[in-house]
Amino acid sequence: MKNLDFTGLDAKKVEKVVKELNQLLADLQVYYANLRGFHWNVKGDKFYQLHEFYEGEYNETAEKVDQVAERLLQLDARPENRFSEYLKISQLKENGFEPEKFEGLKYILDVYKLIIAQERRILAAAQEADDEVTIAMIDDYLTGQEKKVWMLVATLS
């Protein structure tokens, strides 16, 4: 029994959505790990504010990881769960970076640029597949991320 038998989505059209979601999952997992490192290792006079900010970012990213994985399951795909496999396909790398002051915020802006581009590829694939649920999920991500980009740019200006 398959989910797609009941949802009316075409398995062939959904293949590209699945591929792009798997890419996003890998990117989010590496990003999450890097954010945890930022949270644990941040230094400088903005420690308290940034420590709290990074915690919020990794909690939000962890929620997205779960949502993306569950969406893959809904599309009859198996989400990857091995970090070694994430590292093979992620556009991000583990960084071991210990940010001081606002260096980590600059990194986050760079990651948002990459992830937003990935999410736009997912949107295009989901539109071709008439996959409204994935479209809605990604639209929500973009709404929040574009607001954060604005706020980060304002902070760094």
Side-chain angles (χ1 to χ4, degrees):
M1 191 178 313
K2 300 266 186 189
N3 297 317
L4 297 181
D5 294 339
F6 299 94
T7 62
L9 292 172
D10 182 289
K12 195 73 177 156
K13 290 182 179 179
V14 167
E15 286 177 2
K16 186 168 183 182
V17 176
V18 166
K19 179 182 182 284
E20 298 296 343
L21 283 172
N22 272 313
Q23 178 67 58
L24 180 62
L25 182 61
D27 292 337
L28 289 172
Q29 286 284 49
V30 174
Y31 180 51
Y32 173 82
N34 288 341
L35 285 169
R36 291 300 300 243
F38 285 14
H39 173 74
W40 294 330
N41 296 302
V42 66
K43 296 175 182 162
D45 63 338
K46 300 294 183 194
F47 170 83
Y48 287 107
Q49 298 94 326
L50 292 172
H51 185 74
E52 186 175 311
F53 176 76
Y54 295 140
E55 182 175 5
E57 281 295 297
Y58 74 66
N59 284 333
E60 184 177 303
T61 302
E63 181 65 28
K64 287 178 184 174
V65 163
D66 193 55
Q67 291 169 353
V68 170
E70 288 179 355
R71 185 64 190 146
L72 283 162
L73 290 163
Q74 293 163 22
L75 295 173
D76 293 326
R78 182 189 171 280
E80 183 58 64
N81 66 320
R82 295 170 294 176
F83 214 83
S84 60
E85 293 301 313
Y86 296 142
L87 291 173
K88 289 177 187 175
I89 68 166
S90 178
Q91 301 169 85
L92 300 171
K93 303 297 174 218
E94 295 174 308
N95 63 20
F97 184 56
E98 294 182 10
E100 289 192 32
K101 298 194 180 191
F102 295 115
E103 293 171 335
L105 300 183
K106 293 174 187 170
Y107 169 83
I108 289 172
L109 270 175
D110 289 339
V111 170
Y112 276 157
K113 183 177 182 179
L114 182 139
I115 287 177
I116 286 170
Q118 178 61 33
E119 289 167 346
R120 293 196 192 288
R121 287 189 290 277
I122 294 168
L123 277 180
Q127 287 165 346
E128 288 178 28
D130 297 320
D131 179 359
E132 297 296 328
V133 174
T134 299
I135 292 169
M137 181 179 77
I138 298 300
D139 277 344
D140 287 346
Y141 294 174
L142 287 169
T143 299
Q145 289 161 176
E146 288 189 7
K147 183 173 184 178
K148 282 197 180 160
V149 164
W150 161 63
M151 296 172 108
L152 289 168
V153 167
T155 298
L156 295 169
S157 293

